[in-house]
Amino acid sequence: QSVLTQPPSASGTPGQSVTISCSGSNSNIVSYYVYWYQQLPGTAPKLLIYRNNQRPSGVPDRFSGSKSGTSGSLAISGLRSEDEGDYYCAAWDDSLSGPVFGGGTKLTVL
Amino acid sequence: EVQLLESGGGLVQPGGALRLSCATSGFTFSTFAMSWVRQAPGMGLEWISAVSSSGDSTYYADSVKGRFTISRDNSENTLYLRMNSLRGEDTAIYFCAKVGSTVVRNTSPYFDYWGHGTLVTVSS
């Protein structure tokens, strides 16, 4: 059980928007940046969002991140079938003295 | 182009050992901290170890502390993970990951490049 809690699943139809939450605590998200990773089926994770809301070059602006208090969020607009996969949040955790990942959210595009 | 290529995975008996390698190219390896992250079958991501850019400082998750050793050879642009006393719960795909900045802590969760992973199966 991860210290960062994500919903196990999310879904939407093509063109819709979806938001994935990442709930943490005072020992992680409150004080540190949130990162988001996309893992498409059978592939390695890929950095999607860094430092709460920054997109690496090449990541479409359909993906956006935010943070408020003990939670981070990943919003995906204009859903596409190729967005199907698993999404993970990550942050530094003081209690564990190391980086932690959320349990992951499986996104289905219906 | 940044590339990370893991190797060394395979089937090993409980109590056995393996050494994973991660050959890198496309960036100045000696200036970035590196990490290993694993993913058990059907499960999520778990950070297990990190090493500073120089190799002088190493860090481990409690789940592998005392059994795994991370190291690097900056002359060969290669990261290693020596795994001893392997257990069934160590069965996973092992990814090497590059820390995304030279000005963040060595154990930052900011990984801008990942390898494709190498599968380690611990079973008798």
Side-chain angles (χ1 to χ4, degrees), chain A residues 6-109:
Chain A
Q6 298 180 234
S9 64
S11 63
T13 57
Q16 277 190 333
S17 297
V18 66
T19 299
I20 297 172
S21 61
C22 175
S23 177
S25 68
N26 289 335
S27 68
N28 42 65
I29 289 179
V30 160
S31 303
Y32 301 104
Y33 291 124
V34 179
Y35 300 82
W36 289 92
Y37 296 91
Q38 176 193 60
Q39 187 176 32
L40 301 179
T43 70
K46 169 191 168 183
L47 180 65
L48 210 55
I49 298 289
Y50 66 101
R51 291 175 184 164
N52 299 335
N53 55 18
Q54 302 299 300
R55 278 187 309 277
S57 61
V59 173
D61 60 6
R62 300 187 297 108
F63 296 91
S64 62
S66 63
K67 187 185 95 166
S68 178
T70 59
S71 292
S73 294
L74 173 70
I76 309 172
S77 63
L79 270 178
R80 299 183 177 184
S81 58
E82 55 261 39
D83 296 334
E84 274 205 346
D86 297 319
Y87 292 79
Y88 295 91
C89 61
W92 170 265
D93 187 270
D94 279 332
S95 300
L96 298 176
S97 296
V100 290
F101 289 93
T105 297
K106 184 175 185 62
L107 175 64
T108 301
V109 181

Side-chain angles (χ1 to χ4, degrees), chain A residues 32-33 35 37 39 43-47 50-51 86 88 90-92 94 96-104, chain B residues 35 37 39 43-47 59 62 95 100-101 103-105 107-117:
Chain A
Y32 301 104
Y33 291 124
Y35 300 82
Y37 296 91
Q39 187 176 32
T43 70
K46 169 191 168 183
L47 180 65
Y50 66 101
R51 291 175 184 164
D86 297 319
Y88 295 91
W92 170 265
D94 279 332
L96 298 176
S97 296
V100 290
F101 289 93
Chain B
S35 274
V37 177
Q39 185 171 35
M43 303 295 284
L45 302 172
E46 178 190 16
W47 171 84
Y59 313 83
D62 287 344
F95 299 99
S101 170
V103 296
V104 297
R105 68 178 81 208
T107 49
S108 171
Y110 178 12
F111 305 121
D112 60 348
Y113 290 95
W114 298 63
H116 61 85

Side-chain angles (χ1 to χ4, degrees), chain B residues 69-88:
Chain B
T69 302
I70 191 171
S71 62
R72 63 191 297 160
D73 184 338
N74 285 347
S75 67
E76 296 290 335
N77 298 330
T78 301
L79 176 72
Y80 300 101
L81 185 68
R82 174 69 180 184
M83 305 185 296
N84 294 332
S85 304
L86 282 162
R87 308 165 180 166

